[in-house]
Amino acid sequence: MRKITLICLMFLFTMYSCNGQHKVDEVKKTSSIKKNIVTKKDTIMERFDIEYFNKHLVDDERNFTDEQGNSIRQLKTADGFQEEITNPNSYFATSKSFYKNGSIAEKGEIFHGNGFLKGKWTNYDENGNIIKEVDYDLPFKYSWEEILLRLKKNKIDPLDNFTTINRNNNNQRPVWHVSWDTKEETHDGKKILKNVSIDGITGKESKVDTVHYDY
């Protein structure tokens, strides 16, 4: 009798353990599915409202200010649509391009006045899946933050209309190109702009010249 009772108890314990493990496996499976859904949603959530855009067109583009005070410019392109969001308190604008069906094609940050591309830029296919990501900051050991400190130290306003900042990574050597208004003029009244090339690894100036701008 004791042997039968012991066998029954072992059977019940085994069933309980299997059932418990089955529930754990189901929870793991469900969590994985939810995670995949969220990831998929993140890649397809941004779309361009084509219908609303077409209703408010002025010369093939739309310009307005949103509730946060951002200036937004939207326009048609040969490949679809373009949107640029400029925060008056930021050095960067968010640039987005969309396919003709309204789905996101590319997005990233750009320095004001069509300057350098900042950080990670992402490209999507027409179904919203990420197909390419490029981090433009990676090659530059001498970072944007250090360039900014340099500008402020020399009392150069990064948002001045005559301040331009670009960079390239030709021949595997990253280089910054900075130009600004010196606030000086030539004897005939031309504005003097200074151009400097800065090594993207060491921060050393490699080229300095000036340009006379007739405004």
Side-chain angles (χ1 to χ4, degrees):
M1 184 66 180
R2 289 180 179 178
K3 185 176 182 179
I4 294 173
T5 302
L6 181 60
I7 292 172
C8 289
L9 289 172
M10 290 178 65
F11 175 76
L12 289 172
F13 178 78
T14 302
M15 289 294 292
Y16 177 81
S17 299
C18 291
N19 187 50
Q21 182 63 44
H22 177 69
K23 288 182 177 179
V24 170
D25 290 341
E26 283 297 314
V27 169
K28 289 182 177 179
K29 183 178 179 181
T30 303
S31 298
S32 177
I33 292 173
K34 287 181 178 178
K35 185 177 180 181
N36 289 337
I37 289 174
V38 171
T39 302
K40 181 68 175 177
K41 183 178 180 181
D42 284 346
T43 62
I44 64 174
M45 63 186 301
E46 290 193 70
R47 294 189 62 84
F48 190 82
D49 193 335
I50 300 174
E51 182 178 354
Y52 192 84
F53 171 76
N54 287 331
K55 288 181 179 179
H56 299 83
L57 275 180
V58 178
D59 296 329
D60 286 334
E61 65 178 71
R62 178 172 178 246
N63 294 276
F64 63 99
T65 302
D66 66 12
E67 295 177 353
Q68 288 73 44
N70 299 313
S71 298
I72 300 177
R73 184 189 183 203
Q74 299 175 332
L75 63 153
K76 287 184 176 180
T77 66
D79 300 317
F81 305 91
Q82 184 74 27
E83 180 178 79
E84 188 169 286
I85 305 170
T86 303
N87 185 316
N89 300 315
S90 175
Y91 297 120
F92 299 92
T94 300
S95 178
K96 300 179 184 180
S97 59
F98 299 85
Y99 292 105
K100 291 181 179 180
N101 67 359
S103 63
I104 187 75
E106 182 184 51
K107 69 176 179 179
E109 289 189 316
I110 185 170
F111 185 73
H112 89 101
N114 294 320
F116 69 97
L117 306 184
K118 177 78 171 70
K120 184 181 292 184
W121 278 63
T122 306
N123 292 81
Y124 305 83
D125 64 18
E126 292 192 57
N127 295 316
N129 300 305
I130 296 175
I131 56 176
K132 181 181 178 182
E133 289 184 318
V134 178
D135 191 338
Y136 289 98
D137 290 349
L138 283 180
F140 291 83
K141 305 305 179 186
Y142 195 79
S143 67
W144 152 248
E145 287 72 22
E146 290 171 295
I147 291 290
L148 180 60
L149 287 174
R150 194 170 185 152
L151 294 177
K152 289 184 175 180
K153 183 179 179 180
N154 289 282
K155 295 181 172 53
I156 300 168
D157 181 5
L159 293 178
D160 185 86
N161 290 332
F162 287 97
T163 301
T164 60
I165 303 176
N166 285 289
R167 62 185 182 184
N168 57 50
N169 191 26
N170 295 337
N171 301 317
Q172 303 303 310
R173 191 68 183 184
V175 179
W176 290 94
H177 302 285
V178 184
S179 178
W180 68 92
D181 180 6
T182 64
K183 306 303 180 182
E184 298 177 357
E185 293 185 351
T186 62
H187 66 278
D188 55 352
K190 293 181 181 178
K191 187 181 289 291
I192 300 176
L193 305 180
K194 189 172 184 178
N195 302 320
V196 175
S197 294
I198 302 171
D199 191 292
I201 301 296
T202 66
K204 182 180 179 180
E205 293 185 3
S206 57
K207 181 182 178 182
V208 181
D209 59 29
T210 58
V211 174
H212 296 169
Y213 179 79
D214 190 4
Y215 62 100

